[in-house]
Amino acid sequence: MAPLLEIRDLTTRFYTLDGVVHAVNGISYTLEEGETLGIVGESGCGKSVSVLSVMGLIPDPPGKIAAGQVLYRGQDLLRLDEAQIEHIRGKEIAMVFQDPMTSLNPVLTIGRQVIEPLIVHLGMGREEARLRVVELLEMVGIPQAADRYGDYPHQFSGGMRQRAMIAMALACDPSILIADEPTTALDVTIQAQIIDLVKDLRDRLGMAVIWITHDLGIIAGLAEKVVVMYAGFIVERGSVDDIYGDPRHPYTLALMKSLPRVDRSSGEKLATIPGLPPDLLGLPPGCPFTPRCEYAVERCRQENPRLEPVGPGHEIACWVDVTTGRER
């Protein structure tokens, strides 16, 4: 049976005055019905651009999807025209963005913004849609939802604005919810509430979730599968047990070492990853992580490795076995 969503060799470029930005470089992964996939990596590694490519939201110019396929229920979304993709975007595949204050229109009420997909995609009458919006706002935990329907975004707290964005995304019962770092701008307590809310709604509604984050700690209790990205490439892909229990790429290993742990002694410093990510305007010929990698060998400087299996369903793009420190 075909997966719900299959990304094949997706490649996205930005053509700027300074040169070509190699934002996403031939990535592939699958998402099954009801599954949660975590996409992890540093800022600028291509996480958000990859899902914006899936949604057909790359600005052209300067951006362009140069190659690949995005198969949703077997249909290649990249071959659809704008009218066809608009039928899927928001209805079948919905997205929650990082900062709700810049995603919500400040001069329209929350109710007006959540009601729009119900009218556009489902053809509901205004009164029926208004009642549905109140249900959605209650579902995502906004108190006194009927009274808050006419409030503006600035009258909501950060956490409440993000809940309203989730309500908007869920309005048409999508098969896939893409959450692009939806808790980054929130404090830790509100972050936990939003994560628990998404988990509860996922289990209740049976939708699949793609959760994008730079924080490996968030993904541990949320996802079944994890994709680790660096410089526009996937460097490790596997189950959440593989990634946390047996990380095999030096970058994933370094990310894991940088996480705070309760079993660390009070005086022990967190590990850091030296250096900076590469400039995507001019990627080096070999593995892009080489200048920051403690395991690098000469081959890493010459040739960028492809993803290869190191276990069932577990793949890495690396020339070195980090368990032995020797070239694979």
Side-chain angles (χ1 to χ4, degrees):
M1 183 174 166
L4 175 63
L5 181 71
E6 183 175 7
I7 311 300
R8 294 180 181 172
D9 298 319
L10 181 64
T11 303
T12 304
R13 302 281 184 259
F14 289 90
Y15 298 88
T16 71
L17 293 176
D18 294 324
V20 180
V21 178
H22 295 72
V24 178
N25 300 305
I27 69 170
S28 301
Y29 60 83
T30 61
L31 180 71
E32 305 293 341
E33 297 269 3
E35 184 177 61
T36 300
L37 169 73
I39 302 180
V40 181
E42 289 172 277
S43 296
C45 74
K47 307 184 300 296
S48 296
V49 173
S50 68
V51 293
L52 289 173
S53 301
V54 170
M55 296 289 285
L57 294 174
I58 296 295
D60 182 10
K64 186 174 181 59
I65 299 174
Q69 292 179 296
V70 175
L71 301 175
Y72 172 68
R73 300 192 187 278
Q75 182 181 35
D76 188 358
L77 301 185
L78 302 185
R79 294 184 176 274
L80 303 183
D81 60 31
E82 184 60 24
Q84 290 172 314
I85 194 70
E86 281 183 359
H87 179 71
I88 291 173
R89 185 196 302 139
K91 183 174 185 289
E92 301 285 336
I93 306 174
M95 190 165 177
V96 179
F97 295 92
Q98 181 172 339
D99 184 0
M101 201 57 193
T102 56
S103 303
L104 291 166
N105 190 324
V107 300
L108 297 179
T109 65
I110 293 293
R112 170 82 180 276
Q113 296 182 67
V114 180
I115 206 172
E116 185 175 357
L118 295 170
I119 295 173
V120 171
H121 291 300
L122 302 184
M124 285 188 180
R126 189 157 293 276
E127 181 57 24
E128 180 189 8
R130 189 189 68 80
L131 294 173
R132 175 60 177 155
V133 169
V134 173
E135 288 179 9
L136 287 164
L137 295 178
E138 289 173 344
M139 183 190 299
V140 298
I142 293 179
Q144 300 173 324
D147 296 330
R148 304 304 301 270
Y149 179 93
D151 285 353
Y152 289 86
H154 72 271
Q155 295 174 281
F156 278 50
S157 67
M160 288 296 117
R161 284 194 291 266
Q162 199 59 284
R163 288 171 186 266
M165 286 294 298
I166 293 170
M168 192 187 309
L170 297 179
C172 298
D173 295 324
S175 299
I176 301 172
L177 175 68
I178 299 174
D180 184 7
E181 302 207 50
T183 61
T184 300
L186 306 176
D187 65 52
V188 175
T189 303
I190 305 301
Q191 279 187 25
Q193 291 176 5
I194 296 296
I195 292 166
D196 288 343
L197 171 64
V198 172
K199 287 167 66 175
D200 177 62
L201 292 171
R202 174 199 63 189
D203 296 341
R204 200 187 324 168
L205 303 176
M207 62 187 175
V209 177
I210 298 176
W211 190 288
I212 297 169
T213 183
H214 62 271
D215 187 349
L216 268 169
I218 288 176
I219 293 298
L222 185 66
E224 287 90 43
K225 291 193 308 194
V226 180
V227 164
V228 181
M229 289 188 67
Y230 186 80
F233 296 93
I234 292 177
V235 296
E236 186 158 8
R237 182 171 61 196
S239 70
V240 70
D241 291 337
D242 289 333
I243 300 301
Y244 285 84
D246 187 25
R248 300 291 293 275
H249 192 278
Y251 179 58
T252 313
L253 201 60
L255 288 177
M256 294 297 295
K257 288 179 179 177
S258 68
L259 285 176
R261 297 174 60 100
V262 294
D263 57 355
R264 277 199 174 103
S265 62
S266 58
E268 187 179 352
K269 293 184 178 180
L270 289 175
T272 59
I273 304 175
L276 295 170
D279 185 352
L280 297 182
L281 281 167
L283 285 171
C287 170
F289 189 60
T290 299
R292 309 173 74 188
C293 181
E294 62 179 292
Y295 298 92
V297 295
E298 185 56 34
R299 190 178 186 184
C300 302
R301 298 175 179 85
Q302 307 300 326
E303 188 179 354
N304 193 14
R306 297 180 64 85
L307 283 166
E308 297 288 348
V310 290
H314 188 187
E315 299 170 291
I316 63 168
C318 187
W319 296 122
V320 178
D321 183 345
V322 295
T323 61
T324 64
R326 297 178 185 152
E327 193 170 337
R328 295 170 62 228

